[in-house]
Short mmCIF file of all heavy atoms in Angstrom, two decimals:
data_model
loop_
_atom_site.label_atom_id
_atom_site.label_comp_id
_atom_site.label_asym_id
_atom_site.label_seq_id
_atom_site.Cartn_x
_atom_site.Cartn_y
_atom_site.Cartn_z
N VAL D 164 113.87 141.43 85.51
CA VAL D 164 112.90 141.87 86.51
C VAL D 164 113.52 143.04 87.26
O VAL D 164 114.60 142.91 87.84
CB VAL D 164 112.52 140.74 87.48
CG1 VAL D 164 111.47 141.22 88.48
CG2 VAL D 164 112.01 139.53 86.71
N PHE D 166 114.18 145.96 90.05
CA PHE D 166 114.08 146.19 91.48
C PHE D 166 114.79 147.50 91.81
O PHE D 166 115.72 147.91 91.11
CB PHE D 166 114.72 145.06 92.29
CG PHE D 166 114.13 143.71 92.04
CD1 PHE D 166 114.70 142.85 91.11
CD2 PHE D 166 112.99 143.30 92.71
CE1 PHE D 166 114.16 141.60 90.87
CE2 PHE D 166 112.44 142.05 92.48
CZ PHE D 166 113.02 141.20 91.56
N TRP D 171 120.35 145.66 100.58
CA TRP D 171 119.84 144.30 100.75
C TRP D 171 119.57 144.04 102.23
O TRP D 171 120.44 143.61 102.97
CB TRP D 171 120.85 143.30 100.21
CG TRP D 171 120.78 143.16 98.73
CD1 TRP D 171 121.41 143.94 97.81
CD2 TRP D 171 120.03 142.21 98.00
NE1 TRP D 171 121.10 143.53 96.56
CE2 TRP D 171 120.25 142.46 96.64
CE3 TRP D 171 119.18 141.17 98.36
CZ2 TRP D 171 119.66 141.72 95.64
CZ3 TRP D 171 118.60 140.43 97.35
CH2 TRP D 171 118.84 140.69 96.02
N GLY D 174 114.79 140.90 104.46
CA GLY D 174 113.57 140.51 103.80
C GLY D 174 113.59 140.71 102.30
O GLY D 174 112.90 140.01 101.56
N ALA D 175 114.40 141.67 101.83
CA ALA D 175 114.38 142.03 100.41
C ALA D 175 114.82 140.88 99.52
O ALA D 175 114.28 140.67 98.44
CB ALA D 175 115.27 143.25 100.17
N VAL D 176 115.80 140.10 99.97
CA VAL D 176 116.34 139.06 99.12
C VAL D 176 115.29 137.99 98.82
O VAL D 176 115.17 137.50 97.69
CB VAL D 176 117.60 138.44 99.75
CG1 VAL D 176 117.30 137.76 101.08
CG2 VAL D 176 118.24 137.45 98.79
N ALA D 177 114.46 137.63 99.80
CA ALA D 177 113.40 136.65 99.57
C ALA D 177 112.36 137.20 98.61
O ALA D 177 111.82 136.46 97.77
CB ALA D 177 112.75 136.24 100.89
N GLU D 178 112.08 138.50 98.70
CA GLU D 178 111.13 139.13 97.79
C GLU D 178 111.65 139.11 96.36
O GLU D 178 110.89 138.93 95.41
CB GLU D 178 110.85 140.55 98.24
CG GLU D 178 110.13 140.65 99.59
CD GLU D 178 109.99 142.08 100.06
OE1 GLU D 178 110.37 142.99 99.28
OE2 GLU D 178 109.53 142.29 101.18
N VAL D 179 112.95 139.32 96.21
CA VAL D 179 113.56 139.28 94.88
C VAL D 179 113.43 137.88 94.28
O VAL D 179 113.03 137.71 93.12
CB VAL D 179 115.04 139.71 94.95
CG1 VAL D 179 115.75 139.43 93.63
CG2 VAL D 179 115.14 141.19 95.29
N PHE D 180 113.79 136.86 95.05
CA PHE D 180 113.68 135.49 94.57
C PHE D 180 112.24 135.16 94.17
O PHE D 180 111.98 134.54 93.14
CB PHE D 180 114.16 134.50 95.63
CG PHE D 180 115.64 134.52 95.88
CD1 PHE D 180 116.17 133.93 97.01
CD2 PHE D 180 116.50 135.11 94.98
CE1 PHE D 180 117.53 133.92 97.25
CE2 PHE D 180 117.88 135.12 95.20
CZ PHE D 180 118.39 134.52 96.35
N SER D 181 111.29 135.59 95.02
CA SER D 181 109.87 135.32 94.76
C SER D 181 109.42 135.96 93.46
O SER D 181 108.75 135.33 92.63
CB SER D 181 109.02 135.81 95.92
OG SER D 181 107.65 135.62 95.66
N SER D 182 109.80 137.22 93.24
CA SER D 182 109.39 137.92 92.03
C SER D 182 110.03 137.31 90.79
O SER D 182 109.39 137.20 89.73
CB SER D 182 109.76 139.40 92.14
OG SER D 182 109.33 140.11 91.01
N MET D 183 111.28 136.90 90.90
CA MET D 183 111.94 136.27 89.76
C MET D 183 111.25 134.96 89.39
O MET D 183 111.06 134.66 88.20
CB MET D 183 113.42 136.02 90.09
CG MET D 183 114.25 137.28 90.25
SD MET D 183 115.92 136.94 90.82
CE MET D 183 116.61 136.10 89.39
N TRP D 184 110.88 134.19 90.39
CA TRP D 184 110.20 132.93 90.12
C TRP D 184 108.85 133.16 89.47
O TRP D 184 108.46 132.46 88.53
CB TRP D 184 110.06 132.14 91.41
CG TRP D 184 109.25 130.89 91.28
CD1 TRP D 184 108.03 130.63 91.84
CD2 TRP D 184 109.60 129.72 90.53
NE1 TRP D 184 107.59 129.39 91.49
CE2 TRP D 184 108.53 128.80 90.68
CE3 TRP D 184 110.68 129.37 89.75
CZ2 TRP D 184 108.54 127.55 90.08
CZ3 TRP D 184 110.70 128.12 89.15
CH2 TRP D 184 109.64 127.23 89.32
N PHE D 202 119.41 129.67 91.59
CA PHE D 202 119.66 131.10 91.63
C PHE D 202 121.17 131.29 91.74
O PHE D 202 121.77 130.87 92.74
CB PHE D 202 118.97 131.75 92.84
CG PHE D 202 117.48 131.81 92.76
CD1 PHE D 202 116.70 130.84 93.38
CD2 PHE D 202 116.85 132.84 92.08
CE1 PHE D 202 115.31 130.89 93.31
CE2 PHE D 202 115.46 132.92 92.02
CZ PHE D 202 114.69 131.94 92.63
N ILE D 208 124.58 138.83 98.11
CA ILE D 208 123.19 138.35 98.09
C ILE D 208 123.08 137.03 98.85
O ILE D 208 122.11 136.81 99.59
CB ILE D 208 122.70 138.21 96.64
CG1 ILE D 208 122.73 139.56 95.94
CG2 ILE D 208 121.31 137.60 96.59
CD1 ILE D 208 122.34 139.52 94.48
N CYS D 261 122.33 138.61 90.16
CA CYS D 261 121.45 137.51 90.57
C CYS D 261 120.63 137.07 89.35
O CYS D 261 119.99 137.91 88.71
CB CYS D 261 120.53 137.96 91.70
SG CYS D 261 119.28 136.77 92.19
N ALA D 315 117.77 139.58 87.74
CA ALA D 315 117.36 140.68 88.62
C ALA D 315 118.13 141.92 88.20
O ALA D 315 119.36 141.92 88.15
CB ALA D 315 117.66 140.33 90.07
N PHE D 317 118.81 145.91 89.07
CA PHE D 317 118.67 146.87 90.16
C PHE D 317 118.96 148.28 89.67
O PHE D 317 119.94 148.51 88.96
CB PHE D 317 119.62 146.50 91.31
CG PHE D 317 119.36 145.13 91.86
CD1 PHE D 317 120.14 144.06 91.45
CD2 PHE D 317 118.33 144.89 92.73
CE1 PHE D 317 119.90 142.79 91.92
CE2 PHE D 317 118.08 143.63 93.21
CZ PHE D 317 118.87 142.57 92.81
#
Side-chain angles (χ1 to χ4, degrees):
V164 182
F166 301 95
W171 279 86
V176 63
E178 294 175 5
V179 169
F180 289 165
S181 177
S182 183
M183 293 173 68
W184 174 247
F202 289 97
I208 298 177
C261 174
F317 301 99

